[in-house]
């Protein structure tokens, strides 16, 4: 054991990347694919949760599992929440990664609360591009997230102004 200097090797952290978008050709996926393909596999095991409706070639390494659920409409998310919760538990997912767009952030926040797993919210755009209910939902998701990562110091500052805790909000170019 650890007292005798023979500690067992640690298992890599399993990170679930949320992608409920309609297509893998969209810019947010290009960023996620870059992150996923360049993760240190000794430290992280990436897993993707995508919509059944997500079309196109995801362009990610063959060792990355993509699990699909019906997520095209809000009612689909509600119908599949229990199945996704069971999937997360069965696969022993440690951390969720979601972008700040409405679908990804809502999915990540709901699963984070339902499974008591850590959510990292990756912000690409200033919150001010949203308004009304969308902005209120983003604020709620940012408060649920254990970490809010902006792609620049400017974005991170705007997320702090939105109400995300300053001590859990940072500028990190790769998101996780």
């Amino acid at each position: 054991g650890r007292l005798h200097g023979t500690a067992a090797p640690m298992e890599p952290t399993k990170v679930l990347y949320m992608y409920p978008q309609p297509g893998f050709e969209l810019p947010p996926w290009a960023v996620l694919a870059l992150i996923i393909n360049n993760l240190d596999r000794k430290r992280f095991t990436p897993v993707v949760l995508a919509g059944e409706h997500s079309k196109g070639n995801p362009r990610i390494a063959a060792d990355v599992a993509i699990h699909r659920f019906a997520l095209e409409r809000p009612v689909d998310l509600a119908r599949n929440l229990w199945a996704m919760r069971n999937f997360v538990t069965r696969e022993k997912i440690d951390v969720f990664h979601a972008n700040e767009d409405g679908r990804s952030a809502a999915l990540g926040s709901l699963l984070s609360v339902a499974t008591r797993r850590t959510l990292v919210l990756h912000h690409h755009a200033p919150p001010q591009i949203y308004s009304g209910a969308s902005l209120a939902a983003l604020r709620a998701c940012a408060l649920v997230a254990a970490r809010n990562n902006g792609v620049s110091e400017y974005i991170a500052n705007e997320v702090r102004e939105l109400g995300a805790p300053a001590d859990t909000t940072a500028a990190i170019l790769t998101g996780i």
Side-chain angles (χ1 to χ4, degrees), residues 30-114:
V31 173
L32 289 179
L34 185 65
I35 292 168
I36 291 167
N37 286 331
N38 290 289
L39 276 179
D40 178 354
R41 294 297 198 269
K42 290 179 184 160
R43 295 178 52 214
F44 301 102
T45 300
V47 180
V48 175
L49 189 152
E52 289 176 346
H53 66 289
S54 300
K55 305 285 186 235
N57 180 354
R59 300 174 316 278
I60 55 174
D63 68 331
V64 179
I66 299 177
H67 299 271
R68 294 177 181 264
F69 291 88
L71 298 170
E72 192 167 10
R73 302 166 301 157
V75 69
D76 296 330
L77 175 60
R79 287 181 180 150
N80 285 291
L81 188 58
W82 186 256
M84 289 185 289
R85 182 194 166 282
N86 290 340
F87 156 74
V88 166
T89 302
R90 183 178 60 253
E91 292 295 317
K92 298 179 180 160
I93 302 296
D94 299 303
V95 176
F96 298 145
H97 178 285
N99 289 332
E100 94 282 344
D101 67 87
R103 285 182 185 212
S104 301
L107 176 58
S109 295
L110 284 171
L111 270 180
S112 175
V113 170

